[in-house]
Amino acid sequence: MKILAIDTSCDETAAAVTEGATVLSNVIWSQAAMHAKFGGVMPSLAQRMHKERIDFAVRKALLTTHCTVNNIQAVAVTAGPGLAIALEVGVAKAKEIAAKYNLPLIPVNHIEGHLLSPLANHNEKVSFPALGLVVSGGHTELVLIDKIGEYKILAKTSDDALGEALDKAARMLGLGYPGGAILEKMARLGKPKTYPLPMPMARSSNKESFSYSGLKTAFFRLVSGSNSQLTALEIYDMAASFQNRAFQHLIRVVTEIGKKYPAKDLLVGGGVAANIELRKRLRKLGKELDLKVRFPYSTKLVGDNAAMIGIAAGLRFPDHDLLNTYHPGQVDRKPRWSIDVDY
Ligand code: KG4
Ligand code: ZN
């Protein structure tokens, strides 16, 4: 079953065509450069750009696969979570296409898309229950995947998401937005033990949730405590020290919880999963806990994209007949949709 998928949850206008777990096209039109001057995503600008670009993205996704909407059997769209007025654009477009061509419309949870993104173009079997880790700009969640469509959140952040914290640290160092990838480059040149930043939640009895706000505040004090302009070397070492602590905390929580579950696979998705150092640490964790750690095969599947939305829909509904009940009129945006409810 070929699926046309759309995602406009944040600042990427994305459309894709997928079939089962196979990616046939994956068009991502990033708005990051337009939001950079505001130091973060401006919802009204995001909505306007999505409206301007969505038709082109859909057309390109279809053209790349040499098909038209007539070759498509279902439409999938990110219904949430995300920016309400941004989601609205993708949901409206998906409803319009589904209604016009009499196709079922599948609402997909954006986090489910990130969770299942490592399964794209994947031939090996994953055993369930599996563990899933989403590390993005808006979410840091460790999830138990009982099977496709059945999720239980094992841990989430009590304040900032990991990507958000990395972005803020990068901004404090004057590295621009979004800063996770730039921070990673700087961190590679620095020494992670130069600055003794606190380990998040070290003294808390709760070892089963993530938190980055304390680390962020300590980092702000460190950066703003410097009287003179930071040298390049100081920036490298500060970036390395922040990233190191942020990842140590993540690994600690995932290890603590991971060892309690009889999972054999750990699926990792979301923008921060592009980070090489994080991948190295998660693979090491995998060896220790006897988990096969799987990342998306391409960087185009790591950040926001629509192929992961099509794959989540395709894996949940392998059979077209199951879709009889999915009418476009019933679908609406759900900006605060949590992955463990409403499936
Ligand atoms: O999944 P994503 O594209 O969007 C959300 O759903 O939030 O994730 C974006 C986040 C941003 O915080 C960005 O700085 C971070 O992913 N990111 C990285 C890297 N590339 C993107 N963080 C660390 N290292 C990277 N290489
Ligand atoms: Zn995302």
Side-chain angles (χ1 to χ4, degrees), residues 15 21 24 47 61 91 99 114 133 140 156 187 201 204 256 263 277 307 323 335:
L24 301 176
Q47 186 191 47
V91 169
H114 278 308
L133 178 67
T140 307
K156 60 181 173 182
M201 302 183 83
S204 163
E256 193 73 34
E277 176 61 26
L323 287 171

Coordinates of all heavy atoms in Angstrom, one line a residue, residues 15 21 24 47 61 91 99 114 133 140 156 187 201 204 256 263 277 307 323 335:
A15 N 7.0 16.2 3.0 CA 6.0 15.3 2.3 C 6.9 14.1 1.8 O 8.0 14.2 1.5 CB 5.3 15.9 1.2
A21 N 7.6 -0.4 5.1 CA 8.7 0.3 5.7 C 9.7 0.9 4.7 O 10.8 1.4 5.1 CB 9.5 -0.6 6.6
L24 N 10.0 5.7 -0.5 CA 10.1 5.9 -2.0 C 10.5 7.4 -2.3 O 11.2 7.6 -3.3 CB 8.8 5.6 -2.6 CG 8.3 4.2 -2.4 CD1 6.9 3.9 -3.0 CD2 9.2 3.1 -3.0
Q47 N 3.9 28.9 10.1 CA 2.6 28.6 9.5 C 2.6 29.2 8.1 O 2.2 28.5 7.1 CB 1.4 29.2 10.3 CG 0.1 28.8 9.7 CD -1.1 29.6 10.3 OE1 -1.0 30.8 10.4 NE2 -2.1 28.9 10.6
A61 N 7.3 15.1 -3.8 CA 7.3 13.8 -3.2 C 6.7 12.8 -4.2 O 7.2 11.7 -4.4 CB 6.6 13.8 -1.9
V91 N -2.5 19.2 8.3 CA -3.8 18.4 8.5 C -4.8 18.9 7.5 O -5.5 18.1 6.8 CB -4.3 18.6 10.0 CG1 -5.7 18.1 10.1 CG2 -3.4 17.9 10.9
A99 N -10.0 13.8 0.8 CA -11.4 13.9 0.5 C -11.6 14.0 -1.1 O -12.4 13.3 -1.6 CB -12.0 15.2 1.1
H114 N 9.2 9.4 14.9 CA 10.6 9.3 15.3 C 11.0 8.0 15.9 O 12.0 7.4 15.6 CB 10.9 10.4 16.4 CG 11.1 11.8 15.9 ND1 12.0 12.1 14.9 CD2 10.5 13.0 16.2 CE1 12.0 13.4 14.6 NE2 11.1 14.0 15.4
L133 N 13.8 5.3 22.1 CA 14.3 6.5 22.7 C 14.2 7.6 21.6 O 14.7 7.5 20.5 CB 15.8 6.4 23.1 CG 16.4 7.6 23.7 CD1 15.8 8.0 25.0 CD2 18.0 7.4 23.9
T140 N 12.2 14.3 24.9 CA 13.2 13.3 25.4 C 12.3 12.2 26.1 O 11.9 12.4 27.2 CB 14.2 14.0 26.4 OG1 14.7 15.1 25.7 CG2 15.3 13.0 26.7
K156 N 10.3 10.6 30.8 CA 10.4 11.8 30.0 C 11.0 12.9 30.7 O 11.3 12.8 31.9 CB 9.0 12.1 29.4 CG 7.9 12.4 30.5 CD 6.6 12.7 29.7 CE 5.5 12.9 30.7 NZ 4.2 13.1 30.0
A187 N 32.4 20.6 20.4 CA 32.7 19.7 21.4 C 33.8 18.7 21.0 O 34.6 18.3 21.8 CB 31.4 18.9 21.8
M201 N 20.1 15.7 38.4 CA 19.4 14.9 39.3 C 20.3 13.9 40.1 O 19.8 12.9 40.6 CB 18.3 14.1 38.5 CG 17.4 15.0 37.8 SD 16.1 14.1 37.0 CE 14.9 13.8 38.3
S204 N 18.8 13.5 43.5 CA 17.3 13.2 43.5 C 17.1 11.7 43.7 O 17.9 10.9 43.2 CB 16.7 13.7 42.2 OG 15.4 13.1 42.0
E256 N 19.5 2.7 33.7 CA 18.8 2.4 34.9 C 17.4 1.7 34.6 O 17.1 0.7 35.2 CB 18.5 3.7 35.7 CG 18.0 3.6 37.1 CD 19.1 3.1 38.0 OE1 20.3 3.5 37.8 OE2 18.8 2.4 39.0
A263 N 13.9 -6.3 26.9 CA 14.0 -6.0 25.5 C 15.3 -6.4 24.8 O 16.3 -6.6 25.5 CB 13.8 -4.5 25.3
E277 N 28.8 11.3 18.8 CA 29.3 10.9 20.2 C 28.1 10.2 21.0 O 28.4 9.2 21.6 CB 29.7 12.2 20.9 CG 30.1 12.0 22.4 CD 31.2 11.1 22.6 OE1 32.1 11.0 21.7 OE2 31.3 10.5 23.7
A307 N 8.7 10.9 5.8 CA 8.8 9.5 5.5 C 8.5 8.7 6.8 O 7.9 7.6 6.8 CB 10.2 9.2 5.0
L323 N -8.4 0.1 7.0 CA -8.5 1.5 7.0 C -9.9 2.0 6.7 O -10.1 3.2 6.7 CB -7.6 2.1 5.9 CG -6.1 2.0 6.3 CD1 -5.3 2.4 5.1 CD2 -5.8 3.0 7.4
P335 N -2.3 19.1 19.2 CA -1.0 19.7 19.5 C -0.3 19.1 20.7 O 1.0 19.1 20.8 CB -1.3 21.2 19.8 CG -2.6 21.4 19.1 CD -3.3 20.1 19.2

